[in-house]
């Protein structure tokens, strides 16, 4: 799951470079994993949420970057570590 996070952040870096900009920090303002989902969302489980969120926390605390910029730490906000049972939408959005 760390690979997915790195791929998303590096995609932002490559898009910024494609537009000929440099030295623009990437800040991840919404990261997390769904702890429960519908029958069509088999990866939305407590175990995968725990693995993803634990790895993101370790990654941020170690201040490691991505394959594109391994020495630049990525500021990250883990979004909603609680359930929102009253939220509209699919089961995964509530968890």
């Amino acid at each position: 799951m760390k690979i997915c996070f790195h791929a998303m952040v590096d995609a932002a870096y490559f898009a910024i470079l494609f537009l000929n900009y440099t030295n623009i920090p990437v800040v991840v303002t919404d990261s997390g994993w769904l702890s429960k989902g519908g029958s069509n969302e088999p990866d939305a489980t407590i175990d995968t949420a725990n693995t993803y969120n634990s790895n993101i926390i370790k990654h941020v605390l170690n201040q490691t970057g991505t394959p594109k910029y391994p020495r630049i730490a990525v500021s990250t906000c883990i979004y909603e570590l609680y359930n929102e049972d009253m939220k509209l939408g699919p089961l995964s959005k509530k968890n």
Side-chain angles (χ1 to χ4, degrees):
M1 291 183 208
K2 186 176 8 174
I3 294 169
C4 180
F5 179 79
H6 285 163
M8 290 186 288
V9 174
D10 275 347
Y13 280 127
F14 280 107
I16 291 167
L17 287 173
F18 180 78
L19 296 171
N20 293 319
Y21 291 100
T22 59
N23 299 320
I24 296 177
V26 171
V27 177
V28 178
T29 60
D30 183 344
S31 184
W33 199 270
L34 312 166
S35 62
K36 186 177 182 182
S39 60
N40 62 336
E41 301 169 301
D43 294 325
T45 67
I46 290 175
D47 287 339
T48 53
N50 183 46
T51 299
Y52 181 86
N53 291 324
S54 295
N55 285 336
I56 286 295
I57 291 167
K58 289 177 195 172
H59 182 76
V60 171
L61 291 176
N62 289 336
Q63 297 185 348
T64 54
T66 65
K68 174 74 175 151
Y69 293 110
R71 292 181 194 89
I72 299 174
V74 180
S75 296
T76 306
C77 176
I78 298 174
Y79 184 70
E80 295 182 350
L81 290 175
Y82 56 88
N83 292 339
E84 295 181 292
D85 298 337
M86 303 299 287
K87 192 173 189 176
L88 298 176
L91 183 61
S92 60
K93 288 292 183 183
K94 299 176 184 185
N95 294 280

